[in-house]
Amino acid sequence: MLGELVILGATGDLTARFLLPALAALRAGGHLGDGFRVTCVGREDWTGDAFHAWAAEQLDRHAPDIPPDRRREVVAASRYHRADVTDAHALAPVIPHDRPVAAYLALPPSIFAATVSALHAAGTANGSTVVLEKPFGESLDDAIELNRLLSRLYPERSIFRVDHFLAMGTVLNLLGVRLANRVLEPLWSSAHIERVDIVWDESLALEGRAGYYDGVGALKDMLQNHLLQLLCLVAMEPPISLGDRDLRDRKMDVLRSIRPLTLHDAAERSRRARYTAGGGVPAYVDEPGVDPMHRTETFAELRLEIDNWRWRDTTFRLRTGKAMRTNRQEVAVHFRPVPHLPFAGDVQAVPNVLRFGLEPESVSLHLTGTTTSGDVLTPLTLAATPAPAHLPPYGRLLLDVLNRDPALSIRADEAEQSWRVVTPVLEAWAKDLVPLSEYPAFSGEV
């Protein structure tokens, strides 16, 4: 297990909300020993004491359930350095040269290439790993070039293109329900499944993240990575094992089987929109730090089809939006209606739906039964709440990084193929073949 984590971009939102709490959870769970160290690199002109005070404040805010002693231990294990992460000379005194480390790029994708080059030139020891957040690059061409650069500097097994959705408890439970229950396998195909909705609607608005979000938008922020990864887990063939090669080979099969979109297809099968003022928040274009000329979308939807024997004629709908009326974060598997109802009168059965709630975590199966008289159809719901995960998603992700287990990271070919899926959509939007609609914040009407 690697004994040191280097966070590049350590004073940002990702570190505050996720990485520091994940480290505290790992410490509380006994996964990190007393010798574990965290080297934090940022551009803020802070002293070590100032960083410790900031880190303690973030842990109090974002990890209140972790015992205070464990939070304090994470703060005490950290040291702060101000440095330009794209400058090898600035990084050289910061990066250990005598022992392998995990270097986490908690940075905008626009500086990934420069930072990786500087990191390697600064002299990372053999056995070190490099961790890159999503989105992996800013376009297909960018992802290809970034992969070429990484392959020249580090072996593939040392590169972690992370997606914390893959470490979420219900996402992992999706695999369990699919692969450990014989009752579902005969039904898991287009013969019985009409469509799959993969949705991440949130009631949060921009929340001060214009510096990142306005250069990315909903499609690149959520759909191109998180939601496509969920599609892969739903649609892939059962792997031989959950080892990194078997699991990622099957995900890659799905990505390669997605029917390529023409510009016309992209225009017909996608939607985009951004929120206007409502519910006490300003219109997106009036949020601090937003450039209206970017025409950034806060809602994106895409309908895809998979050309293989299992999924021919099943539609996969991927959807994400900000400032929506309610939080709806789920994978919903919609089964086809029964071919015949033997009940008298004008009765209809609601088609069955298997729902995997992502936040909060849940699993439910929606069926149709009858009343006690036997002549009136009525909905039935079987529901379960999975036991809470021992670690938050970023805790599981960091544990895999430190143990150098790449099974839940994204392989180079996966990253590129995901961009190939959405590139026609980006091109259609750039040509204004799809109108940028508007919806009032928190209205739920898109």
Side-chain angles (χ1 to χ4, degrees), residues 242-260:
L242 296 183
D244 60 288
R245 177 167 181 175
D246 292 332
L247 182 61
R248 296 193 291 183
D249 280 352
R250 298 292 75 78
K251 288 196 294 173
M252 186 61 187
D253 288 344
V254 174
L255 291 171
R256 291 177 60 244
S257 299
I258 293 174
R259 184 179 300 168

Side-chain angles (χ1 to χ4, degrees), residues 13 21 68 86 120 144 146 193 266 275 296 365 373 400 412 418-419 437:
D13 184 68
T86 65
H120 184 265
I144 291 172
L146 186 53
I193 295 175
Y275 63 82
T296 301
L365 177 60
S373 62
D400 283 352
S418 295
W419 277 111
S437 302

Side-chain angles (χ1 to χ4, degrees), residues 61-81:
R61 179 183 304 169
H62 300 295
D65 296 334
I66 303 295
D69 288 350
R70 304 292 86 81
R71 303 201 303 262
R72 285 193 289 268
E73 288 164 0
V74 169
V75 174
S78 64
R79 56 193 178 102
Y80 179 74
H81 300 271

Side-chain angles (χ1 to χ4, degrees), residues 198 227-235 254 258 304 306 316 318:
I198 302 174
L227 303 193
L228 274 180
Q229 283 294 314
L230 295 179
L231 183 154
C232 289
L233 297 184
V234 171
V254 174
I258 293 174
L304 297 171
I306 297 175
F316 291 80
L318 282 58

Side-chain angles (χ1 to χ4, degrees), residues 322-334:
K322 282 189 171 297
M324 306 297 284
R325 177 183 295 169
T326 58
N327 290 317
R328 181 190 171 198
Q329 292 141 7
E330 67 174 7
V331 175
V333 180
H334 295 257

Side-chain angles (χ1 to χ4, degrees), residues 44-380:
E44 303 291 343
D45 189 13
W46 288 349
T47 64
D49 288 343
F51 177 81
H52 284 166
W54 176 83
E57 179 184 351
Q58 302 311 314
L59 283 168
D60 290 345
R61 179 183 304 169
H62 300 295
D65 296 334
I66 303 295
D69 288 350
R70 304 292 86 81
R71 303 201 303 262
R72 285 193 289 268
E73 288 164 0
V74 169
V75 174
S78 64
R79 56 193 178 102
Y80 179 74
H81 300 271
R82 183 189 183 195
D84 179 352
V85 297
T86 65
D87 184 344
H89 295 292
L91 287 181
V94 175
I95 304 299
H97 308 291
D98 59 344
R99 60 190 182 276
V101 299
Y104 200 115
L105 277 64
L107 300 165
S110 58
I111 61 171
F112 280 176
T115 303
V116 170
S117 297
L119 187 64
H120 184 265
T124 48
N126 289 336
S128 294
T129 61
V130 178
V131 188
L132 299 99
E133 265 286 337
K134 63 84 187 173
F136 183 75
E138 299 179 285
S139 66
L140 174 58
D141 290 342
D142 195 31
I144 291 172
E145 287 303 313
L146 186 53
N147 273 333
R148 287 174 179 166
L149 172 67
L150 287 165
S151 67
R152 290 197 301 268
L153 303 180
Y154 295 96
E156 175 64 25
R157 194 167 184 84
S158 294
I159 302 166
F160 285 72
R161 304 167 189 83
V162 298
D163 187 330
H164 75 275
F165 269 46
L166 294 178
M168 295 175 71
T170 304
V171 171
L172 297 173
N173 196 41
L174 190 157
L175 285 179
V177 170
R178 264 208 65 187
L179 303 177
N181 294 285
R182 189 178 183 90
V183 68
L184 285 178
E185 181 55 31
L187 307 179
W188 210 257
S189 71
S190 62
H192 300 282
I193 295 175
E194 184 174 54
R195 80 174 194 273
V196 177
D197 291 340
I198 302 174
V199 179
W200 190 271
D201 284 353
E202 52 187 345
S203 57
L204 291 175
L206 192 55
E207 304 294 315
R209 296 178 66 221
Y212 163 76
Y213 195 88
D214 198 44
V216 178
L219 188 141
K220 291 183 181 181
D221 182 49
M222 290 292 303
L223 197 151
Q224 184 271 336
N225 38 75
H226 295 325
L227 303 193
L228 274 180
Q229 283 294 314
L230 295 179
L231 183 154
C232 289
L233 297 184
V234 171
M236 71 181 184
E237 295 299 315
I240 297 171
S241 76
L242 296 183
D244 60 288
R245 177 167 181 175
D246 292 332
L247 182 61
R248 296 193 291 183
D249 280 352
R250 298 292 75 78
K251 288 196 294 173
M252 186 61 187
D253 288 344
V254 174
L255 291 171
R256 291 177 60 244
S257 299
I258 293 174
R259 184 179 300 168
L261 298 172
T262 64
L263 286 180
H264 175 76
D265 294 333
E268 291 290 320
R269 292 177 166 270
S270 70
R271 292 197 296 154
R272 60 173 176 159
R274 64 185 177 193
Y275 63 82
T276 57
V281 302
Y284 177 81
V285 295
D286 296 326
E287 293 270 19
V290 167
D291 182 351
M293 298 301 293
H294 287 170
R295 292 173 56 80
T296 301
E297 80 285 352
T298 60
F299 171 91
E301 182 178 287
L302 178 60
R303 289 177 289 116
L304 297 171
E305 295 184 353
I306 297 175
D307 282 336
N308 62 22
W309 279 20
R310 183 183 289 267
W311 295 115
R312 184 78 175 189
D313 297 329
T314 295
T315 298
F316 291 80
R317 185 179 68 134
L318 282 58
R319 163 183 162 142
T320 183
K322 282 189 171 297
M324 306 297 284
R325 177 183 295 169
T326 58
N327 290 317
R328 181 190 171 198
Q329 292 141 7
E330 67 174 7
V331 175
V333 180
H334 295 257
F335 292 85
R336 298 186 187 279
V338 295
H340 172 68
L341 288 172
F343 303 93
D346 184 18
V347 296
Q348 292 187 355
V350 177
N352 306 140
V353 183
L354 176 61
R355 298 183 185 276
F356 296 87
L358 302 175
E359 282 191 3
E361 297 180 3
S362 65
V363 180
S364 60
L365 177 60
H366 300 263
L367 305 170
T368 297
T370 64
T371 59
T372 53
S373 62
D375 58 356
V376 178
L377 298 182
T378 186
L380 298 175

